[in-house]
């Protein structure tokens, strides 16, 4: 019996990883939360670590307006201004 | 019809075929009908669709969904060719932006896709909407609902622990399809009330929690029956989510008879529930959630943004004063979508 593959057969769009930073010293790092309260204490601690251990100059804290949907286009456009972006979820 | 594009496999032993599908995570844990090229072509021919017909593109992940791949999964679920147009319409509706398919199917909230079928196609497919209405009432309802789940699994990677991050989920995730009992009510069909062409065959999809059954066999007054339904909605607001959005209300013949006798229409039901299904934030204190009441204890929350958020569905067996409230996944993050079967999306203004 012959039958067909039910999957998308790996038609996912290809993408490339962003260029890695050699150092975080003096960098501006954005942290994008999914907007849930559970991210707050974690990202506060994360921000302290970024500054104290890695010399990050500035941390920009942002949150999506809908934690179940992709980030809004303006937020994604702004990402070009930062050296690095960390996207994290919390519950 | 143009050639089918899917990769082909050949195997003879029926048990080995089932293990092949199970081993690759292509099934929901139940056996599948092997999607042979002939069976898939029959679905496509019945719906007058070419294999490469683009049903839609999932907006978050940008994944293109073709008619061929829908048909493969529909056959696996046990669909007959006559069932396939319902599957196509339902998935087309699910791809609409307000439905937020990715969020609804990935969320820890664990909702399922509730599909309500209206119009003449119900009769053609033997969809009853009566006995055991929410539990797989007939072959078509069971297979069509299952097809949607297999499509999500195989085309959107919505497998438990993969894209599906549900904490619990619920049994409706295997199949959650109900036909409205249009012959058993003078009420307008759900789809007609939601703007579908009158008397057309249509689907309505909703990202939905499990049904919450209620019972009131001790009154003939519509307001008292709806007070019970509204209390069930309020319980959901206290125990699960306070945010407003769609709710479905399923009413069986024994309860509907009282509404018919009193001259109540669906719009009357919606208006009354809209007024009654409200809680104050302070009510959370009585069910273990006092820590999030804050200083807004007197703030009132409505279950519905407008009366139209309530989907009133006539369905259920002839005896029993059992209704059901079906909550949305999570407030208004996903909105129910209604679509006529066979509607040409490209033709829409």
């Amino acid at each position: 019996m012959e039958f067909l593959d039910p999957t998308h057969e790996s038609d996912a769009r290809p993408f490339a990883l962003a260029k890695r930073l050699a150092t975080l010293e003096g960098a501006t790092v954005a942290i994008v939360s999914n907007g849930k309260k559970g991210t707050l204490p974690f990202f506060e601690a994360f921000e302290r670590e970024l500054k104290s251990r890695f010399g990050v100059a500035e941390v920009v804290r942002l949150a999506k307006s809908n934690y179940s949907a992709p980030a809004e286009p303006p937020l994604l456009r702004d990402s070009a201004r930062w050296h690095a972006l960390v996207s994290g979820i919390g519950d | 019809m143009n050639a089918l594009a899917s990769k082909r496999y050949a195997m003879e032993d029926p048990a080995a075929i089932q293990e092949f599908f199970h081993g690759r995570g292509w099934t929901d844990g139940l056996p599948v009908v092997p999607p042979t090229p002939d069976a898939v072509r029959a679905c496509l021919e019945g719906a007058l669709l070419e294999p490469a017909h683009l049903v839609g593109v999932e907006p978050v992940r940008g994944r293109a969904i073709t008619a061929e791949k829908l048909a493969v999964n529909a056959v696996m679920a046990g669909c007959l060719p006559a069932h396939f147009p319902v599957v196509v319409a339902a998935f087309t509706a699910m791809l609409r932006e307000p439905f937020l398919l990715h969020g609804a199917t990935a969320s820890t909230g664990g909702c399922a896709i509730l599909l309500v079928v209206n119009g003449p196609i119900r009769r053609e497919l033997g969809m009853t909407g009566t006995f055991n209405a929410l539990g797989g009432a007939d072959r078509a309802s069971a297979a069509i609902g299952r097809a949607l789940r297999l499509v999500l699994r195989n085309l959107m990677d919505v497998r438990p622990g993969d894209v599906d991050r549900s904490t619990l989920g619920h049994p409706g995730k295997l199949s959650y399809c109900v036909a409205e009992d249009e012959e058993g009510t003078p009420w307008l069909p759900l789809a007609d009330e939601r703007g579908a062409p009158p008397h057309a065959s249509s689907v309505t999809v909703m990202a939905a929690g499990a049904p919450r059954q209620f019972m009131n066999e001790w009154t003939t007054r519509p307001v008292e029956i709806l007070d019970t339904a509204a209390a069930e909605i309020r319980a959901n607001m206290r125990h699960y989510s306070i945010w407003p959005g769609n709710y479905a209300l399923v009413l069986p013949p024994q309860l509907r008879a009282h509404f018919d006798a009193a001259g109540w229409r669906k719009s009357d039901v919606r208006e009354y529930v809209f007024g009654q299904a409200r809680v104050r934030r302070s009510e959370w204190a009585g069910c273990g959630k006092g820590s999030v009441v804050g200083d807004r204890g007197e703030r009132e929350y409505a279950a519905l943004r407008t009366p139209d958020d309530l989907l009133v569905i006539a369905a259920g067996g002839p005896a029993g004063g059992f209704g059901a409230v079906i909550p949305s996944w999570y407030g208004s993050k996903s909105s129910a979508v209604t679509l006529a079967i066979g509607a040409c999306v490209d033709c829409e203004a």
Side-chain angles (χ1 to χ4, degrees):
Chain A
M1 178 190 295
E2 194 175 46
F3 53 87
L4 301 174
D5 190 312
T7 72
H8 50 78
E9 299 189 45
S10 301
D11 67 346
R13 289 178 298 184
F15 63 91
L17 291 174
K19 190 178 172 186
R20 306 291 96 170
L21 298 176
T23 177
L24 289 172
E25 192 76 38
T28 299
V29 177
I31 301 176
V32 180
S33 156
N34 65 350
K36 290 197 175 185
K37 282 185 177 176
T39 63
L40 292 175
F42 179 81
F43 282 151
E44 278 162 14
F46 185 49
E47 178 176 345
R48 285 195 299 273
E49 293 290 308
L50 284 173
K51 288 179 174 171
S52 63
R53 289 180 55 187
F54 298 99
V56 166
E58 186 184 0
V59 172
V60 180
R61 298 277 294 276
L62 300 160
K64 298 195 302 175
S65 63
N66 180 346
Y67 45 70
S68 301
E72 296 82 353
L75 191 153
L76 294 176
R77 278 197 299 272
D78 284 351
S79 66
R81 298 175 9 216
W82 311 314
H83 295 103
L85 182 149
V86 178
S87 177
I89 62 173
D91 226 325
Chain B
M1 175 178 290
N2 290 320
L4 300 171
S6 297
K7 185 176 179 180
R8 298 183 181 220
Y9 302 88
M11 212 171 277
E12 294 306 322
D13 178 14
I17 293 174
Q18 295 303 324
E19 291 309 312
F20 184 82
F21 278 83
H22 282 291
R24 282 159 180 75
W26 290 351
T27 89
D28 50 11
L30 298 174
V32 296
V33 175
T36 63
D38 283 348
V40 170
R41 268 193 292 268
C43 280
L44 294 167
E45 286 169 359
L48 301 174
L49 294 173
E50 284 291 333
H53 173 79
L54 186 63
V55 174
V57 178
E58 195 284 315
V60 171
R61 301 176 70 202
R63 180 154 287 166
I65 307 295
T66 65
E68 175 178 337
K69 288 298 186 183
L70 282 191
V72 171
N73 283 278
V75 170
M76 287 168 59
C79 285
L80 298 173
H83 301 157
F84 187 55
V86 184
V87 176
V88 175
F91 211 79
T92 304
M94 289 159 61
L95 290 172
R96 293 286 173 91
E97 200 114 14
F99 194 76
L100 194 60
L101 179 64
H102 178 72
T105 53
S107 170
T108 50
C111 71
I113 312 299
L114 173 66
L115 169 62
V116 186
V117 181
N118 282 112
I121 200 165
R122 296 167 305 111
R123 302 294 299 273
E124 295 163 17
L125 302 184
M127 303 177 88
T128 58
T130 57
F131 292 105
N132 200 44
L134 296 177
D138 50 77
R139 179 182 184 178
S141 298
I144 291 168
R146 186 188 183 203
L148 298 181
R149 179 53 46 182
L150 290 181
V151 170
L152 289 172
R153 185 179 193 93
N154 289 319
L155 300 186
M156 301 304 304
D157 306 310
V158 181
R159 298 183 181 86
D162 193 347
V163 167
D164 184 344
R165 312 302 292 182
S166 299
T167 307
L168 297 177
H170 66 81
K173 292 183 81 168
L174 281 173
S175 181
Y176 207 7
C177 175
V178 59
E180 190 161 22
D181 178 17
E182 295 178 24
E183 290 70 27
T185 178
W187 283 345
L188 277 176
L190 173 72
D192 289 24
E193 289 214 315
R194 290 176 49 82
H199 313 302
S201 293
S202 304
V203 294
T204 298
V205 291
M206 172 181 159
R212 302 173 63 102
Q213 186 163 295
F214 63 86
M215 175 171 65
N216 189 345
E217 298 180 331
W218 301 280
T219 182
T220 60
R221 297 180 60 213
V223 293
E224 290 186 333
I225 294 167
L226 294 181
D227 283 344
T228 308
E232 195 62 46
I233 292 175
R234 289 196 298 273
N236 183 69
M237 295 172 77
R238 289 192 299 266
H239 305 161
Y240 179 52
S241 168
I242 204 166
W243 303 114
N246 289 122
Y247 278 82
L249 173 59
V250 184
L251 292 170
Q254 184 170 315
L255 296 181
R256 294 201 306 270
H258 305 312
F259 291 85
D260 296 343
W264 280 53
R265 297 164 300 175
K266 280 187 175 179
S267 56
D268 300 315
V269 172
R270 289 196 298 267
E271 289 288 346
Y272 186 78
V273 173
F274 176 67
Q276 297 298 311
R278 292 160 187 267
V279 300
R280 292 193 188 281
R281 198 176 179 91
S282 58
E283 293 180 44
W284 274 352
C287 49
K289 299 183 181 182
S291 62
V292 285
V293 172
D295 59 1
R296 292 172 285 170
E298 288 310 299
R299 182 173 167 187
E300 184 182 77
Y301 293 78
L304 309 167
R305 292 165 298 179
T306 72
D308 288 344
D309 269 347
L310 188 66
L311 313 183
V312 183
I313 302 162
F322 306 102
V325 161
I326 301 177
S328 64
W329 153 48
Y330 200 30
S332 58
K333 288 188 182 299
S334 169
S335 294
V337 175
T338 296
L339 193 66
I341 294 170
C344 175
V345 175
D346 294 332
C347 301
E348 289 188 353

